[in-house]
């Protein structure tokens, strides 16, 4: 009997017809393991995971393998995106036991949830042998097996909370982080380290902010080169926009084709900030194409953004995206087919598998109009292929990241439709995810999931709300962000200035997860630091500023040797050192002079600058605007730090000078 048919997770539903007797995570499964006196086999993955699909086809759809699993174990399936807390603690155990991690994650554990053997993907013959070996060890050498696992659990649980071990990174530590990044920088191909290469979104944001604060040209050069190399490579969809999860090579040519919301939300924002610093048209194009891809391919009927697109279509990785010269000629004719092969680097030998190539655009075409016409024709032709499946659950944190990106890109590039989309996401979160001040982690088809939000959900949604406020001036966004951040301070604190990743009333696992390092997204702790700092700058709250400073402490420890895993913390530290700058705009909203001042404020590249705009005498305004009004009847801008403001100015030119002084 498979018990996944009523699951809300698309990943779990992918396994609903397996012959494996899958159960969802819960006390019922643990009770059954205790009743039968058998171990639990925990399998963790996500809907867009290619190797999860491979293991499913090889093993979980195989009757003989399923019989072994059903006879010897209680089997639990978990969507890591729904339950990042479960994923975190068992991934920590997997890495401790094996020295590596990944998905699918395969964990054998006792009926009380303690892991004793861990791994990732296993081909079917090895997996069947492993099942039998674990069963034999459980029945014949249980004390030894469980004892070894308990040593790992004891080592992990004895660490205790991180607490505050240092001050936030200072100027020298941030400069040292740039030097550390330069030591692993790939000067030929961009990025850091070798293959596989993941988009270093948070590190790039740090480098851009560091340049903006200090003028460090090396920081800007590393960021700009990496941003251009990624967007010209195969990791970027040259037809439809949007970035794949990572490149399997060191040149950004062949991606792992799954496309995740969080990557694209983070990258759209970084490309917009690159444009704001440099004015590069290329940066503007990539930022807008990425936003357009998110809204075109991920938007749900409820107004949110789905989690991901699969890597596979028709069971083949990348089939939807790759081309042969013959396919180009079939879609475009001989002349344009040859042109497309040249401009997109499609060769007879191919850059991928079976003679197919991933499209690249290593230089801007000489004939922009022809390139646009050919690209549009190929996009229409690709639209007739079977598309990858979509994981259509809404994750609060990732939608919060998208709100920030859409709001800022909409304002910077004069695209009110993007701002409207960000606002619609916020309405969905308020309507579906928010109950009595607490967030649900996920929703699907307009119904909230049962899983409680984790730290990154509260922090990233607050970040999105504050970014949207900067664009719209709606004070309600600041109030909601404040309520979410109060929950962070009241429910997630570790007593020493840091934060746990789960609330104090969340389900208890064998270890309460706490990891300040960035992964594919900003860590919950550094995301909280950023939102707390921005909120403090808008409200004057010393409590929130002090909490932000304490949460940044791990970034100081990571800066010198592990800067690649602390990019968001370092980026927030740049804002902390810079103030951040607070810009208050007061004037009638439909006055062209107010709009000009507001745009000038949003164009500021000061790290983490906060912006608020409001009408004189409005009943709902944020504290930054209190006591500030027009000057001689003209809209005015106030540039402040820690609520200490310079004299107001009334022209964009004067505001620009104030921001650069």
């Amino acid at each position: 009997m498979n018990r996944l048919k009523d699951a809300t997770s698309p990943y779990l539903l992918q396994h609903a017809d397996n012959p494996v007797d899958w159960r969802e995570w819960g006390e019922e499964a643990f009770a059954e393991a205790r009743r039968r006196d058998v171990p639990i086999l925990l399998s963790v993955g996500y809907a867009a995971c290619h190797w999860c699909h491979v293991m499913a086809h090889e093993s979980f759809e195989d009757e003989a393998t399923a019989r072994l699993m059903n006879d010897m174990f209680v089997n639990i399936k978990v969507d890591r995106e729904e339950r990042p807390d479960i994923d975190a603690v068992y991934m920590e155990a997997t890495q401790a036991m094996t020295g590596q991690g990944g998905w699918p994650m395969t964990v054998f554990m006792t009926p009380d949830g303690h892991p004793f053997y861990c791994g990732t993907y296993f081909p079917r013959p090895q997996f069947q042998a492993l099942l039998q070996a674990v069963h034999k060890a459980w029945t014949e050498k249980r004390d030894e097996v469980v004892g070894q696992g308990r040593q790992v659990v004891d080592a992990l649980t004895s660490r205790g909370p991180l607490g505050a071990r240092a001050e936030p990174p200072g100027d020298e530590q941030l400069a040292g982080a740039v030097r550390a990044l330069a030591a692993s920088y790939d000067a030929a191909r961009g990025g850091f380290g070798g293959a596989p290469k993941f988009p270093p979104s948070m590190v790039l944001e740090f480098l851009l902010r560091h340049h903006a604060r200090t003028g460090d040209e090396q920081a800007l050069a590393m960021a700009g080169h990496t941003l251009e190399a990624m967007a010209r490579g195969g990791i970027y969809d040259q037809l439809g926009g949007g970035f794949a999860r990572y490149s399997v090579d060191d040149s950004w040519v062949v991606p792992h084709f799954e496309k995740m919301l969080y990557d694209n939300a983070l990258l759209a924002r970084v490309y917009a900030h690159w444009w704001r610093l440099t004015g590069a048209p290329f940066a503007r194009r990539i930022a807008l194409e990425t936003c357009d891809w998110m809204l075109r391919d991920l938007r749900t009927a409820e107004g949110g953004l789905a989690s991901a697109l699969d890597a596979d279509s028709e069971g083949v990785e990348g089939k939807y995206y790759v081309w042969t010269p013959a396919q180009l000629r079939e879609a475009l004719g001989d002349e344009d087919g040859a042109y497309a092969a040249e401009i997109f680097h499609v060769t007879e030998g191919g850059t991928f598998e079976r003679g197919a190539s991933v499209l690249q655009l290593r230089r801007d075409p000489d004939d922009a109009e022809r390139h646009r016409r050919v690209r549009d024709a190929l996009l229409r032709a690709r639209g007739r292929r079977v598309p990858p499946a979509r994981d259509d659950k809404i994750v609060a944190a990732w939608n919060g990241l998208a709100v920030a990106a859409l709001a800022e890109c909409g304002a910077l590039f004069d695209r009110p439709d993007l701002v409207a989309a960000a606002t619609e996401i916020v309405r969905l979160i308020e309507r579906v995810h928010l109950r009595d001040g607490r967030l649900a982690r996920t929703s699907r088809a307009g119904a909230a999931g049962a899983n409680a939000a984790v730290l990154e959900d509260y922090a990233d949604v607050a970040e999105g709300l504050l970014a949207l406020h900067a664009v719209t001036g709606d004070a309600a966004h600041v109030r909601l962000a404040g309520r979410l951040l109060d929950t962070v301070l009241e429910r997630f604190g570790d007593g020493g200035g840091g934060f746990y990743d789960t609330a104090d009333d969340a389900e208890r696992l064998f270890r309460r997860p706490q990891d300040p390092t960035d992964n594919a997204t900003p860590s919950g702790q550094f995301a909280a630091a950023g939102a707390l700092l921005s909120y403090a700058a808008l409200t004057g709250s010393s409590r929130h500023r002090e909490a932000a400073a304490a949460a940044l402490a791990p970034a100081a420890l990571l800066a010198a040797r592990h800067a690649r895993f602390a990019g968001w913390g370092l980026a927030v530290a740049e804002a902390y050192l810079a103030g951040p700058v607070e810009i208050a705009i007061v004037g009638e909203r439909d006055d062209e002079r107010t709009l000009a001042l507001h745009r000038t404020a949003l164009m500021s590249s000061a790290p983490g600058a906060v912006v608020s705009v409001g009408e004189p005498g409005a009943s709902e305004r944020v504290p930054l605007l209190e006591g500030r009004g027009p000057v001689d009847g003209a809209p005015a801008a106030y540039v402040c730090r820690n609520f200490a403001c310079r004299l107001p100015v009334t022209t964009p030119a004067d505001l620009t000078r104030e921001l650069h002084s």
Side-chain angles (χ1 to χ4, degrees):
M1 177 181 177
N2 187 319
R3 295 165 173 81
L4 302 184
K5 288 184 170 58
D6 295 325
T8 58
S9 160
Y11 174 63
L12 268 56
L13 290 172
Q14 289 175 354
H15 295 270
D17 294 323
N18 292 169
V20 177
D21 181 11
W22 290 118
R23 298 167 184 261
E24 293 194 65
W25 179 277
E27 175 53 33
E28 181 183 353
F30 288 93
E32 178 65 9
R34 289 191 293 269
R35 186 189 70 79
R36 290 176 53 194
D37 191 29
V38 297
I40 290 170
L41 194 166
L42 171 67
S43 178
V44 182
Y46 57 103
C49 167
H50 171 69
W51 288 104
C52 299
H53 299 329
V54 173
M55 191 164 179
H57 295 324
E58 289 181 347
S59 295
F60 304 147
E61 295 172 6
D62 176 66
E63 294 283 353
T65 306
R67 278 195 298 273
L68 292 174
M69 295 172 66
N70 296 338
D71 289 347
M72 300 174 180
F73 305 94
V74 168
N75 305 290
I76 298 178
K77 254 296 174 198
V78 165
D79 182 341
R80 66 175 295 263
E81 296 174 347
E82 279 197 336
R83 292 298 303 266
D85 52 338
I86 295 172
D87 178 64
V89 297
Y90 288 103
M91 183 59 72
E92 194 174 26
T94 299
Q95 291 171 331
M97 290 183 184
T98 69
Q100 60 186 7
W103 299 276
M105 177 167 58
T106 306
V107 178
F108 295 90
M109 59 190 191
T110 65
D112 59 1
H114 285 194
F116 61 84
Y117 188 89
C118 303
T120 54
Y121 161 75
F122 295 96
R124 184 168 64 195
Q126 289 92 320
F127 186 56
Q128 289 182 345
L130 176 63
L131 295 171
Q132 293 168 323
V134 170
H135 172 69
K136 181 178 176 65
W138 177 261
T139 54
E140 297 179 6
K141 301 179 180 179
R142 184 179 307 187
D143 289 345
E144 179 181 338
V145 168
V146 173
Q148 291 173 350
R150 187 176 296 117
Q151 291 178 12
V152 174
V153 170
D154 289 345
L156 294 175
T157 55
S158 65
R159 296 177 185 173
L162 291 172
R165 303 176 184 174
E167 295 296 316
D171 191 68
E172 178 52 39
Q173 288 165 307
L174 294 172
V178 175
R179 291 192 295 272
L181 291 167
S184 65
Y185 178 63
D186 185 339
R189 293 165 287 268
F192 303 91
K197 275 186 177 173
F198 291 79
S201 310
M202 292 76 78
V203 165
L204 296 174
E205 180 67 24
F206 159 60
L207 291 172
L208 293 178
R209 289 188 181 191
H210 187 75
H211 168 78
R213 185 178 64 84
T214 68
D216 186 331
E217 292 297 333
Q218 182 185 32
L220 179 61
M222 288 192 293
H225 180 207
T226 300
L227 286 161
E228 180 156 3
M230 289 192 304
R232 293 195 180 282
I235 193 174
Y236 183 69
D237 183 350
Q238 300 296 339
L239 299 183
F243 289 85
R245 177 75 276 268
Y246 64 88
S247 171
V248 301
D249 59 275
D250 62 3
S251 300
W252 310 107
V253 175
V254 178
H256 190 41
F257 290 89
E258 64 202 51
K259 294 167 83 171
M260 316 300 293
L261 170 59
Y262 52 75
D263 284 319
N264 287 280
L266 289 164
L267 286 166
R269 200 178 186 193
V270 173
Y271 278 93
H273 293 174
W274 184 34
W275 173 83
R276 189 168 60 185
L277 265 176
T278 66
F282 181 77
R284 180 184 189 275
R285 176 171 72 82
I286 300 303
L288 281 174
E289 287 179 358
T290 304
C291 288
D292 287 338
W293 172 79
M294 287 192 288
L295 295 183
R296 185 183 67 245
D297 285 8
L298 295 184
R299 203 171 196 178
T300 69
E302 298 74 35
L305 295 179
S307 297
L309 294 187
D310 207 332
D312 304 357
S313 55
E314 299 183 90
V316 179
E317 184 184 9
K319 183 175 182 180
Y320 183 72
Y321 298 101
V322 298
W323 297 81
T324 64
Q327 289 172 328
L328 293 177
R329 290 193 297 271
E330 181 181 356
L332 301 169
D334 290 344
E335 186 175 345
D336 278 350
Y339 168 81
E342 177 187 4
I343 200 72
F344 289 124
H345 291 262
V346 177
T347 65
E348 292 295 340
T351 56
F352 185 51
E353 298 171 351
R354 296 176 289 276
S357 292
V358 184
L359 302 189
Q360 306 171 65
L361 189 67
R362 292 301 179 184
R363 61 175 176 83
D364 286 333
D366 297 328
D367 187 340
E369 180 55 39
R370 185 181 189 187
H371 171 254
R372 188 179 303 110
R373 174 172 54 80
V374 165
R375 186 183 66 176
D376 290 347
L378 287 177
L379 188 61
R380 288 193 297 272
R382 193 176 76 178
R384 294 189 286 273
R385 297 176 176 180
V386 176
R390 187 172 83 165
D391 180 343
D392 58 359
K393 70 177 178 296
I394 307 297
V395 176
W398 307 346
N399 275 261
L401 295 174
V403 167
L406 292 167
E408 291 187 357
C409 288
L412 292 176
F413 304 130
D414 194 22
R415 284 281 302 273
D417 60 309
L418 301 184
V419 180
T423 303
E424 192 173 358
I425 294 170
V426 167
R427 291 193 185 118
L428 171 67
I429 290 173
E430 290 179 306
R431 185 175 70 252
V432 176
H433 287 248
L434 194 61
R435 290 289 183 275
D436 300 322
R438 303 298 291 273
L439 284 173
R441 166 77 174 170
T442 62
S443 69
R444 187 164 182 253
N451 301 305
V454 296
L455 178 61
E456 70 163 355
D457 295 300
Y458 286 90
D460 289 339
V461 171
E463 173 83 13
L465 287 163
L466 297 175
L468 186 57
H469 167 77
V471 171
T472 67
D474 188 341
H477 299 325
V478 179
R479 290 197 299 274
L480 178 54
R483 293 200 296 273
L484 297 178
L485 292 174
D486 284 345
T487 300
V488 168
L489 296 177
E490 293 162 7
R491 294 287 189 177
F492 289 84
D494 67 2
F499 294 105
Y500 288 108
D501 292 324
T502 54
D504 56 4
D505 56 353
E507 179 185 357
R508 285 289 185 263
L509 305 173
F510 76 83
R511 168 172 164 77
R512 191 174 178 186
Q514 184 181 35
D515 184 359
T517 59
D518 293 336
N519 199 300
T521 57
S523 73
Q525 175 145 325
F526 291 152
L532 287 163
L533 185 64
S534 295
Y535 183 78
L538 287 167
T539 64
S541 169
S542 58
R543 175 190 180 215
H544 290 82
R545 183 175 176 85
E546 290 164 5
L552 287 175
L557 302 177
L558 295 165
R561 293 188 178 182
H562 305 290
R564 288 167 63 183
F565 304 101
W568 198 252
L570 297 170
V572 176
E574 288 287 346
Y576 184 81
L577 277 188
V581 173
E582 304 147 1
I583 310 169
I585 311 292
V586 183
E588 299 295 334
R589 288 305 307 269
D590 57 355
D591 189 320
E592 289 294 333
R593 296 171 297 175
T594 305
L595 296 173
L597 288 172
H598 188 200
R599 176 165 179 78
T600 301
L602 293 172
M603 283 294 294
S604 171
S605 58
V610 299
V611 177
S612 190
V613 58
E615 296 190 335
S619 59
E620 292 188 353
R621 303 207 303 179
V622 302
L624 180 61
L625 297 175
E626 293 303 324
R628 318 201 200 287
V631 175
D632 296 331
Y638 297 76
V639 177
C640 319
R641 284 183 176 82
N642 295 321
F643 268 53
C645 301
R646 294 171 177 256
L647 291 174
V649 295
T650 58
T651 70
D654 286 340
L655 176 54
T656 299
R657 278 192 292 273
E658 286 291 310
L659 291 170
H660 284 88
S661 64

PDB file of all heavy atoms in Angstrom, residues 316-330:
ATOM      1  N   VAL A 316      14.319  12.142 -20.625  1.00  0.00           N
ATOM      2  CA  VAL A 316      15.691  12.383 -21.073  1.00  0.00           C
ATOM      3  C   VAL A 316      16.139  13.750 -20.577  1.00  0.00           C
ATOM      4  O   VAL A 316      15.480  14.766 -20.833  1.00  0.00           O
ATOM      5  CB  VAL A 316      15.803  12.323 -22.610  1.00  0.00           C
ATOM      6  CG1 VAL A 316      17.238  12.598 -23.059  1.00  0.00           C
ATOM      7  CG2 VAL A 316      15.323  10.964 -23.121  1.00  0.00           C
ATOM      8  N   GLU A 317      17.265  13.789 -19.899  1.00  0.00           N
ATOM      9  CA  GLU A 317      17.770  15.057 -19.380  1.00  0.00           C
ATOM     10  C   GLU A 317      18.145  15.995 -20.526  1.00  0.00           C
ATOM     11  O   GLU A 317      18.859  15.626 -21.454  1.00  0.00           O
ATOM     12  CB  GLU A 317      18.989  14.828 -18.489  1.00  0.00           C
ATOM     13  CG  GLU A 317      19.484  16.127 -17.844  1.00  0.00           C
ATOM     14  CD  GLU A 317      20.748  15.949 -17.036  1.00  0.00           C
ATOM     15  OE1 GLU A 317      21.349  14.873 -17.096  1.00  0.00           O
ATOM     16  OE2 GLU A 317      21.131  16.918 -16.352  1.00  0.00           O
ATOM     17  N   GLY A 318      17.648  17.214 -20.450  1.00  0.00           N
ATOM     18  CA  GLY A 318      18.036  18.251 -21.388  1.00  0.00           C
ATOM     19  C   GLY A 318      17.402  18.184 -22.759  1.00  0.00           C
ATOM     20  O   GLY A 318      17.662  19.057 -23.596  1.00  0.00           O
ATOM     21  N   LYS A 319      16.565  17.187 -23.012  1.00  0.00           N
ATOM     22  CA  LYS A 319      16.034  16.995 -24.367  1.00  0.00           C
ATOM     23  C   LYS A 319      15.279  18.222 -24.869  1.00  0.00           C
ATOM     24  O   LYS A 319      15.319  18.543 -26.060  1.00  0.00           O
ATOM     25  CB  LYS A 319      15.125  15.768 -24.399  1.00  0.00           C
ATOM     26  CG  LYS A 319      14.576  15.444 -25.788  1.00  0.00           C
ATOM     27  CD  LYS A 319      13.770  14.153 -25.797  1.00  0.00           C
ATOM     28  CE  LYS A 319      13.273  13.826 -27.200  1.00  0.00           C
ATOM     29  NZ  LYS A 319      12.495  12.563 -27.230  1.00  0.00           N
ATOM     30  N   TYR A 320      14.613  18.921 -23.977  1.00  0.00           N
ATOM     31  CA  TYR A 320      13.820  20.085 -24.372  1.00  0.00           C
ATOM     32  C   TYR A 320      14.696  21.234 -24.877  1.00  0.00           C
ATOM     33  O   TYR A 320      14.264  22.022 -25.716  1.00  0.00           O
ATOM     34  CB  TYR A 320      13.011  20.549 -23.164  1.00  0.00           C
ATOM     35  CG  TYR A 320      12.072  21.699 -23.424  1.00  0.00           C
ATOM     36  CD1 TYR A 320      10.903  21.525 -24.166  1.00  0.00           C
ATOM     37  CD2 TYR A 320      12.334  22.964 -22.903  1.00  0.00           C
ATOM     38  CE1 TYR A 320      10.026  22.576 -24.389  1.00  0.00           C
ATOM     39  CE2 TYR A 320      11.458  24.019 -23.116  1.00  0.00           C
ATOM     40  CZ  TYR A 320      10.308  23.820 -23.863  1.00  0.00           C
ATOM     41  OH  TYR A 320       9.444  24.864 -24.078  1.00  0.00           O
ATOM     42  N   TYR A 321      15.940  21.305 -24.400  1.00  0.00           N
ATOM     43  CA  TYR A 321      16.749  22.507 -24.610  1.00  0.00           C
ATOM     44  C   TYR A 321      17.823  22.383 -25.686  1.00  0.00           C
ATOM     45  O   TYR A 321      18.316  23.415 -26.164  1.00  0.00           O
ATOM     46  CB  TYR A 321      17.442  22.890 -23.293  1.00  0.00           C
ATOM     47  CG  TYR A 321      16.479  23.234 -22.186  1.00  0.00           C
ATOM     48  CD1 TYR A 321      16.181  22.308 -21.182  1.00  0.00           C
ATOM     49  CD2 TYR A 321      15.855  24.473 -22.134  1.00  0.00           C
ATOM     50  CE1 TYR A 321      15.297  22.619 -20.160  1.00  0.00           C
ATOM     51  CE2 TYR A 321      14.966  24.796 -21.117  1.00  0.00           C
ATOM     52  CZ  TYR A 321      14.692  23.861 -20.138  1.00  0.00           C
ATOM     53  OH  TYR A 321      13.814  24.167 -19.128  1.00  0.00           O
ATOM     54  N   VAL A 322      18.253  21.191 -26.051  1.00  0.00           N
ATOM     55  CA  VAL A 322      19.431  21.043 -26.906  1.00  0.00           C
ATOM     56  C   VAL A 322      19.043  20.892 -28.382  1.00  0.00           C
ATOM     57  O   VAL A 322      17.913  20.522 -28.710  1.00  0.00           O
ATOM     58  CB  VAL A 322      20.293  19.846 -26.452  1.00  0.00           C
ATOM     59  CG1 VAL A 322      20.803  20.079 -25.029  1.00  0.00           C
ATOM     60  CG2 VAL A 322      19.503  18.538 -26.514  1.00  0.00           C
ATOM     61  N   TRP A 323      20.029  21.173 -29.249  1.00  0.00           N
ATOM     62  CA  TRP A 323      19.790  21.200 -30.685  1.00  0.00           C
ATOM     63  C   TRP A 323      20.941  20.556 -31.438  1.00  0.00           C
ATOM     64  O   TRP A 323      22.094  20.608 -31.011  1.00  0.00           O
ATOM     65  CB  TRP A 323      19.648  22.648 -31.185  1.00  0.00           C
ATOM     66  CG  TRP A 323      18.485  23.382 -30.604  1.00  0.00           C
ATOM     67  CD1 TRP A 323      18.427  23.986 -29.379  1.00  0.00           C
ATOM     68  CD2 TRP A 323      17.204  23.579 -31.215  1.00  0.00           C
ATOM     69  NE1 TRP A 323      17.194  24.542 -29.189  1.00  0.00           N
ATOM     70  CE2 TRP A 323      16.419  24.322 -30.301  1.00  0.00           C
ATOM     71  CE3 TRP A 323      16.655  23.217 -32.449  1.00  0.00           C
ATOM     72  CZ2 TRP A 323      15.114  24.702 -30.577  1.00  0.00           C
ATOM     73  CZ3 TRP A 323      15.352  23.606 -32.721  1.00  0.00           C
ATOM     74  CH2 TRP A 323      14.593  24.331 -31.796  1.00  0.00           C
ATOM     75  N   THR A 324      20.607  19.989 -32.598  1.00  0.00           N
ATOM     76  CA  THR A 324      21.612  19.553 -33.574  1.00  0.00           C
ATOM     77  C   THR A 324      21.550  20.500 -34.767  1.00  0.00           C
ATOM     78  O   THR A 324      20.543  21.205 -34.965  1.00  0.00           O
ATOM     79  CB  THR A 324      21.340  18.116 -34.053  1.00  0.00           C
ATOM     80  OG1 THR A 324      20.079  18.097 -34.755  1.00  0.00           O
ATOM     81  CG2 THR A 324      21.304  17.136 -32.883  1.00  0.00           C
ATOM     82  N   PRO A 325      22.593  20.540 -35.604  1.00  0.00           N
ATOM     83  CA  PRO A 325      22.516  21.376 -36.809  1.00  0.00           C
ATOM     84  C   PRO A 325      21.313  21.026 -37.686  1.00  0.00           C
ATOM     85  O   PRO A 325      20.675  21.918 -38.257  1.00  0.00           O
ATOM     86  CB  PRO A 325      23.843  21.087 -37.513  1.00  0.00           C
ATOM     87  CG  PRO A 325      24.783  20.722 -36.404  1.00  0.00           C
ATOM     88  CD  PRO A 325      23.953  19.963 -35.426  1.00  0.00           C
ATOM     89  N   ALA A 326      20.993  19.735 -37.774  1.00  0.00           N
ATOM     90  CA  ALA A 326      19.854  19.326 -38.597  1.00  0.00           C
ATOM     91  C   ALA A 326      18.543  19.868 -38.037  1.00  0.00           C
ATOM     92  O   ALA A 326      17.657  20.291 -38.804  1.00  0.00           O
ATOM     93  CB  ALA A 326      19.798  17.793 -38.670  1.00  0.00           C
ATOM     94  N   GLN A 327      18.407  19.871 -36.716  1.00  0.00           N
ATOM     95  CA  GLN A 327      17.185  20.410 -36.112  1.00  0.00           C
ATOM     96  C   GLN A 327      17.070  21.917 -36.347  1.00  0.00           C
ATOM     97  O   GLN A 327      15.977  22.441 -36.547  1.00  0.00           O
ATOM     98  CB  GLN A 327      17.170  20.097 -34.615  1.00  0.00           C
ATOM     99  CG  GLN A 327      16.933  18.630 -34.297  1.00  0.00           C
ATOM    100  CD  GLN A 327      17.109  18.321 -32.826  1.00  0.00           C
ATOM    101  OE1 GLN A 327      17.920  18.954 -32.146  1.00  0.00           O
ATOM    102  NE2 GLN A 327      16.357  17.348 -32.329  1.00  0.00           N
ATOM    103  N   LEU A 328      18.203  22.607 -36.340  1.00  0.00           N
ATOM    104  CA  LEU A 328      18.182  24.046 -36.626  1.00  0.00           C
ATOM    105  C   LEU A 328      17.738  24.299 -38.060  1.00  0.00           C
ATOM    106  O   LEU A 328      16.929  25.203 -38.321  1.00  0.00           O
ATOM    107  CB  LEU A 328      19.557  24.656 -36.381  1.00  0.00           C
ATOM    108  CG  LEU A 328      20.054  24.690 -34.932  1.00  0.00           C
ATOM    109  CD1 LEU A 328      21.471  25.268 -34.875  1.00  0.00           C
ATOM    110  CD2 LEU A 328      19.116  25.496 -34.053  1.00  0.00           C
ATOM    111  N   ARG A 329      18.272  23.510 -38.996  1.00  0.00           N
ATOM    112  CA  ARG A 329      17.880  23.685 -40.407  1.00  0.00           C
ATOM    113  C   ARG A 329      16.403  23.367 -40.603  1.00  0.00           C
ATOM    114  O   ARG A 329      15.699  24.062 -41.352  1.00  0.00           O
ATOM    115  CB  ARG A 329      18.742  22.790 -41.296  1.00  0.00           C
ATOM    116  CG  ARG A 329      20.200  23.223 -41.390  1.00  0.00           C
ATOM    117  CD  ARG A 329      20.923  22.502 -42.516  1.00  0.00           C
ATOM    118  NE  ARG A 329      20.971  21.059 -42.302  1.00  0.00           N
ATOM    119  CZ  ARG A 329      21.940  20.433 -41.632  1.00  0.00           C
ATOM    120  NH1 ARG A 329      22.944  21.144 -41.096  1.00  0.00           N
ATOM    121  NH2 ARG A 329      21.933  19.122 -41.487  1.00  0.00           N
ATOM    122  N   GLU A 330      15.917  22.349 -39.905  1.00  0.00           N
ATOM    123  CA  GLU A 330      14.497  21.981 -40.029  1.00  0.00           C
ATOM    124  C   GLU A 330      13.598  23.106 -39.520  1.00  0.00           C
ATOM    125  O   GLU A 330      12.542  23.384 -40.100  1.00  0.00           O
ATOM    126  CB  GLU A 330      14.232  20.702 -39.241  1.00  0.00           C
ATOM    127  CG  GLU A 330      12.790  20.224 -39.323  1.00  0.00           C
ATOM    128  CD  GLU A 330      12.554  18.966 -38.500  1.00  0.00           C
ATOM    129  OE1 GLU A 330      13.520  18.427 -37.930  1.00  0.00           O
ATOM    130  OE2 GLU A 330      11.395  18.524 -38.426  1.00  0.00           O
TER     131      GLU A 330
END
